[in-house]
Amino acid sequence: MIVHKKLPNGFVYIEIKNSSAEAKIALQGAHIFHYKREGKEPILWLSEVSDFEVGKAIRGGVPVCWPWFGFNENKTLPQHGFARTALWKFVGGDEVDEKTTSITLRLTHSDETLKMWCYKFELELKITISDRLSMELKTTNLDRESFTITQALHTYFAVSHISDVAIKGLDKKPYLDALTWKNEVQKGDISFNQEVDRVYQEVDGEILLIDKNRTVHLKNEGSSSVVVWNPWIEKCSRMSAMKPTAYESMLCIESANAFDDFKVIKPNESHTLRAAVY
Ligand code: TA6
């Protein structure tokens, strides 16, 4: 089932339901803000106080950060790019079988995007809802010149309590600590007792989020960088659309092409970033 919905304020989203899972996806930002397997708890975290307003990024789910991750070079343009607040188009949906539903959303350059980023492009996100959440973010260069992107599927995961979780799969990986701007190397699993904001590099295998009663798997392709983020107490109290205690029930593990893992895309060529959560 693929149903198009509209809030009274004009905010539009798509609801998907099949025998294995359900999801909700906003056309603004191609933003998946709900994914839940049949009979299980939601995998994605969504802020109780998130805005569903035209022009404002949703806090939670899977923001699409594109065509830059973090700040642009001179810090004058929106953090994490413009794709997450732009209105994407629904290209089509496919009810593959009773357990599997796919939709594709598309964003292309406009006068507005060309003012911020002077390249012609097509960006498509194919989302497949089954007993796994699969995302394929394809960037195609429609310009005459090559361009460079950094990007992320900035996934917010729901956790029972931040103090009780561990992330496996990044042991011995180098990372840039975005709090100190120092290069470090991970030792063992990641656990949380303070603010964490790191860009792991040279990541190849599966990442596991170990929580009390469940393990969530994340597998990326077309990417060798992964961002791990929890704002902890002080930053959380300053963040928009987040309750001060929200840091306890979420963390982000982001499938990225960030920092050294930028992508140069030539005219008429494409790059696809894939992430599967299960
Ligand atoms: O990916 C981590 C990060 O860049 C953090 O530094 C953090 O502030 C966050 O993303 C959320 O950014 P936002 O622009 O959504 O407030």
Side-chain angles (χ1 to χ4, degrees), residues 57-60 63 65 69-71 78-81 84 152 154 156 178-179 195-199 227-231 235 239-240 242 252 254:
I58 297 170
R59 178 68 67 201
C65 305
F69 174 82
F71 285 106
Q79 154 139 290
H80 294 325
R84 65 175 172 166
H154 191 303
Y156 286 73
L179 302 174
E195 184 180 354
V196 168
D197 195 346
R198 301 174 184 166
V199 187
V227 181
V228 175
W229 177 60
N230 179 282
K235 186 164 185 184
M239 298 282 305
S240 63
M242 259 179 129
C252 290
E254 306 164 33

Side-chain angles (χ1 to χ4, degrees), residues 54-263:
V54 176
K56 276 198 177 177
I58 297 170
R59 178 68 67 201
V62 189
V64 175
C65 305
W66 191 96
W68 56 83
F69 174 82
F71 285 106
N72 73 314
E73 273 161 31
N74 51 15
K75 295 197 175 178
T76 51
L77 294 170
Q79 154 139 290
H80 294 325
F82 51 77
R84 65 175 172 166
T85 49
L87 192 63
W88 295 47
K89 283 199 172 72
F90 174 74
V91 181
D94 186 6
E95 305 204 73
V96 182
D97 57 39
E98 65 169 36
K99 294 180 180 166
T100 315
T101 312
S102 288
I103 62 163
T104 301
L105 303 176
R106 182 185 292 153
L107 181 69
T108 42
H109 57 273
S110 61
D111 290 348
E112 217 179 312
T113 68
L114 288 166
K115 272 184 220 151
M116 288 185 270
W117 196 63
C118 63
Y119 301 103
K120 295 183 177 163
F121 66 88
E122 180 186 85
L123 182 63
E124 282 191 344
L125 182 64
K126 181 176 180 191
I127 301 163
T128 304
I129 303 300
S130 65
D131 56 1
R132 58 176 60 197
L133 168 62
S134 306
M135 299 166 275
E136 294 177 39
L137 184 64
K138 182 178 176 193
T139 303
T140 304
N141 185 342
L142 302 182
D143 210 88
R144 288 187 184 172
E145 289 181 28
S146 295
F147 60 61
T148 300
I149 56 162
T150 54
Q151 61 181 347
L153 294 162
H154 191 303
T155 310
Y156 286 73
F157 290 93
V159 297
S160 54
H161 194 284
I162 190 67
S163 307
D164 296 333
V165 297
I167 298 175
K168 284 188 186 291
L170 295 169
D171 185 26
K172 300 191 180 65
K173 298 296 178 194
Y175 68 84
L176 175 71
D177 190 326
L179 302 174
T180 59
W181 299 108
K182 284 191 179 152
N183 289 304
E184 310 277 359
V185 175
Q186 180 64 35
K187 293 187 192 79
D189 298 345
I190 305 170
S191 54
F192 298 82
N193 54 17
Q194 59 185 348
E195 184 180 354
V196 168
D197 195 346
R198 301 174 184 166
V199 187
Y200 287 87
Q201 307 271 282
E202 300 169 25
V203 180
D204 39 16
E206 198 176 53
I207 295 164
L208 302 182
L209 169 56
I210 315 282
D211 201 345
K212 261 198 216 147
N213 299 317
R214 73 175 181 197
T215 296
V216 177
H217 302 240
L218 173 64
K219 180 89 186 83
N220 301 325
E221 280 175 50
S223 139
S224 62
S225 49
V226 165
V227 181
V228 175
W229 177 60
N230 179 282
W232 211 248
I233 300 166
E234 206 231 316
K235 186 164 185 184
C236 189
S237 66
R238 288 188 274 117
M239 298 282 305
S240 63
M242 259 179 129
K243 280 188 162 178
T245 52
Y247 76 95
E248 294 175 347
S249 57
M250 54 69 65
L251 62 82
C252 290
I253 310 177
E254 306 164 33
S255 314
N257 294 113
F259 293 96
D260 291 350
D261 185 26
F262 59 83
K263 292 288 161 198

